[in-house]
Amino acid sequence: MEELKKVEMYTDGACSGNPGPGGFGTILRYGEYEKKLSGGAESTTNNRMELTAVIEGFKALKQRCVVEVYCDSKYIVDAVNLGWAERWKQNNWMRNKKEKALNADLWEQLLSLIGMHEVSFNWVKGHSGMRENEECDRMAVQESKKFGADNS
């Protein structure tokens, strides 16, 4: 059995208005190697940018890995760790009998991607001084400003 690489992933999303211009930042770390990813959208939501940050991080992985995700979005961490996202998928992307699950397109992608790896999601408090989270936030805000956002 092969030894899987251990990767740390740090993510954050930002949005000015909801919806509005948004951006994401992702840092992948494997040993001493680090890769930074960022991007944005002209009209999006904060949750879509948070999800996109994680999705883009997983898309960048070229092989099966053990991935520790550090994210300040309770929406994402709880939806994965508490099985909400899997339940929404099983219920044809419905949160309950009346409410559709939001961002089903992105959740579909994320669930598919995390299924390829050994993954754990860890919630971190945003703007609490964690260097990587602060850097992801800076990248996300910078990307959102390309679309006219004022996130100062």
Side-chain angles (χ1 to χ4, degrees):
M1 194 158 127
E2 71 173 298
E3 180 78 18
L4 299 179
K5 292 180 178 177
K6 292 179 175 55
V7 175
E8 295 172 359
M9 181 187 303
Y10 302 88
T11 67
D12 200 12
C15 196
S16 181
N18 218 8
F24 74 88
T26 306
I27 299 172
L28 294 169
R29 185 175 298 135
Y30 169 66
E32 61 189 51
Y33 300 100
E34 190 172 273
K35 182 173 189 161
K36 294 181 180 181
L37 308 165
S38 62
E42 186 173 355
S43 181
T44 189
T45 66
N46 188 67
N47 283 340
R48 288 189 70 80
M49 287 293 92
E50 295 279 2
L51 281 160
T52 300
V54 181
I55 289 166
E56 292 302 320
F58 277 106
K59 282 182 174 178
L61 300 176
K62 304 296 184 219
Q63 64 191 66
R64 181 172 163 77
C65 300
V66 174
V67 184
E68 287 276 338
V69 180
Y70 297 90
C71 177
D72 66 6
S73 169
K74 289 286 274 177
Y75 171 63
I76 293 175
V77 174
D78 287 350
V80 173
N81 287 346
L82 301 176
W84 300 345
E86 281 291 346
R87 196 162 41 253
W88 299 333
K89 182 179 179 178
Q90 290 168 4
N91 293 332
N92 204 21
W93 297 107
M94 295 296 289
R95 288 184 56 222
N96 54 47
K97 290 185 193 287
K98 295 181 182 177
E99 292 179 308
K100 286 186 176 189
L102 298 176
N103 307 309
D105 58 328
L106 297 179
W107 281 113
E108 185 85 50
Q109 284 184 64
L110 182 57
L111 291 176
S112 175
L113 289 164
I114 65 177
M116 297 182 223
H117 303 276
E118 291 182 24
V119 179
S120 61
F121 276 74
N122 305 280
W123 180 75
V124 296
K125 184 174 171 67
H127 308 287
S128 63
M130 176 188 241
R131 185 180 64 79
E132 296 87 354
N133 180 260
E134 298 290 342
E135 177 63 19
C136 288
D137 179 66
R138 276 191 293 280
M139 290 189 296
V141 169
Q142 183 177 350
E143 288 290 338
S144 72
K145 288 182 177 180
K146 292 179 181 178
F147 299 97
D150 180 21
N151 291 341
S152 50

